[in-house]
Amino acid sequence: MVINKKIYFASDQHFGAPTTEESKVREQKFIDWLDTIKSDAEIIFLLGDLFDFWFEYKKAVPKGFVRVLGKLAVLRDSGIQIYFFVGNHDLWMGDYFEKELNIQVFHQTKEFTFNNKTFLIGHGDGLGPGDKGYKRMKKLFTNPISKWLYRWLHPDIGIRLAQYLSVKNKLISGEEDVKYLGEEKEWLVQYCKKKLTEKQYDYFVFGHRHLPLEIAISETSKYINTGDWITYFTYGEFDGEELVLKNYKS
């Protein structure tokens, strides 16, 4: 695909946490950022954990986030392509985004090529040799029987319970490893190195770690982690030639 404008990447907004009031401040900052990039954006990648919790019942979705969803709908209707990769907090996403917002949703990493640059893109959870606790938890959460049983909880109970656990459980939230561990202990770095032995990629772009990172995997390949919209308010910007990390200051 040849692009004539810019591609943007952002992840880990965790809207809804830790409280509705505190989240709305960050939501408005994210909306302001979307307004600043809409004039030169061709594609926007949302790399997961847009919400601190998201579960789609057959006839209901979590309350709130109207302004964020509305802004995404307006951008998509204007012709800007938006791709969404589910994270560990919104892995129960169904077809709501696709039907209501016309935003394509991915549940696995996916390759893209823009201007002869090859990207491997995803949320980043469960990849590489580490993250063992989450890998076990993800198998349970994505099990069809588990999802079927959960749907039998009334939304007022199920959503409130999940929101409580999402905020309190550091294993789920990722708060246990928000410090840089060093290249040899960064499991996403190890994942990128392994993938590079199979195929050449110019950029590996992930979220999940809540840390803005730019790490050279080889002389021609770079791993970018987009950070978060809780502490860093960072995002990736690809101008057709180079992908760089930037910080949004409203």
Side-chain angles (χ1 to χ4, degrees):
M1 181 185 298
V2 177
I3 63 165
N4 300 307
K5 292 185 176 181
K6 293 181 179 180
I7 300 177
Y8 291 93
F9 304 82
S11 71
D12 296 276
Q13 291 81 10
H14 289 264
F15 292 140
T19 66
T20 300
E21 291 73 22
E22 291 178 76
S23 174
K24 283 184 177 179
V25 176
R26 297 188 297 104
E27 289 173 36
Q28 187 57 56
K29 191 168 184 175
F30 182 68
I31 291 168
D32 292 343
W33 172 70
L34 291 173
D35 277 332
T36 66
I37 69 171
K38 65 183 180 183
S39 62
D40 65 4
E42 186 164 339
I43 303 172
I44 299 172
F45 282 93
L46 300 176
L47 304 184
D49 289 356
L50 180 66
F51 311 108
D52 201 60
F53 169 73
W54 183 268
F55 183 89
E56 294 180 21
Y57 292 85
K58 289 189 179 298
K59 296 294 183 180
V61 295
K63 182 180 179 180
F65 321 114
V66 174
R67 290 168 182 83
V68 172
L69 295 174
K71 179 59 65 175
L72 293 175
V74 168
L75 295 179
R76 185 68 191 93
D77 289 347
S78 73
I80 297 173
Q81 185 65 258
I82 302 176
Y83 296 120
F84 188 93
F85 285 80
V86 301
N88 46 305
H89 282 249
D90 38 37
L91 54 80
W92 276 343
M93 184 166 286
D95 59 7
Y96 183 81
F97 266 41
E98 294 180 336
K99 288 186 175 180
E100 296 295 327
L101 307 177
N102 195 24
I103 293 175
Q104 190 170 0
V105 175
F106 299 99
H107 292 261
Q108 304 291 336
T109 57
K110 185 171 176 61
E111 298 179 15
F112 292 85
T113 301
F114 304 112
N115 293 11
N116 295 318
K117 301 286 187 180
T118 306
F119 295 72
L120 186 63
I121 300 171
H123 180 61
D125 58 314
L127 303 179
D131 226 4
K132 294 181 179 179
Y134 170 66
K135 287 176 181 177
R136 291 191 293 267
M137 198 170 292
K138 186 175 183 178
K139 288 183 179 179
L140 173 63
F141 285 172
T142 57
N143 185 287
I145 296 176
S146 298
K147 291 189 289 184
W148 180 80
L149 289 172
Y150 190 85
R151 279 199 174 93
W152 280 97
L153 288 176
H154 188 281
D156 286 351
I157 298 173
I159 291 175
R160 179 171 293 185
L161 174 63
Q163 286 174 332
Y164 173 81
L165 293 174
S166 183
V167 171
K168 296 296 182 181
N169 193 321
K170 291 184 178 181
L171 179 62
I172 299 175
S173 68
E175 292 179 9
E176 65 172 9
D177 61 350
V178 294
K179 295 181 179 180
Y180 180 62
L181 305 176
E183 188 171 316
E184 294 304 316
K185 293 183 179 180
E186 285 285 340
W187 36 265
L188 273 173
V189 173
Q190 301 308 310
Y191 172 81
C192 295
K193 287 182 176 180
K194 184 176 184 299
K195 295 297 291 185
L196 207 57
T197 64
E198 304 168 2
K199 183 177 179 178
Q200 168 61 28
Y201 295 97
D202 295 285
Y203 293 106
F204 297 89
V205 191
F206 300 111
H208 187 57
R209 287 285 283 111
H210 288 232
L211 281 175
L213 297 171
E214 294 184 74
I215 298 175
I217 304 299
S218 72
E219 292 183 358
T220 58
S221 182
K222 184 182 289 186
Y223 156 52
I224 301 284
N225 196 289
T226 50
D228 68 15
W229 282 73
I230 300 171
T231 303
Y232 298 102
F233 302 95
T234 43
Y235 62 94
E237 178 182 300
F238 179 65
D239 62 4
E241 295 292 332
E242 185 180 8
L243 173 59
V244 296
L245 272 180
K246 293 188 175 182
N247 173 262
Y248 178 65
K249 296 180 181 179
S250 57

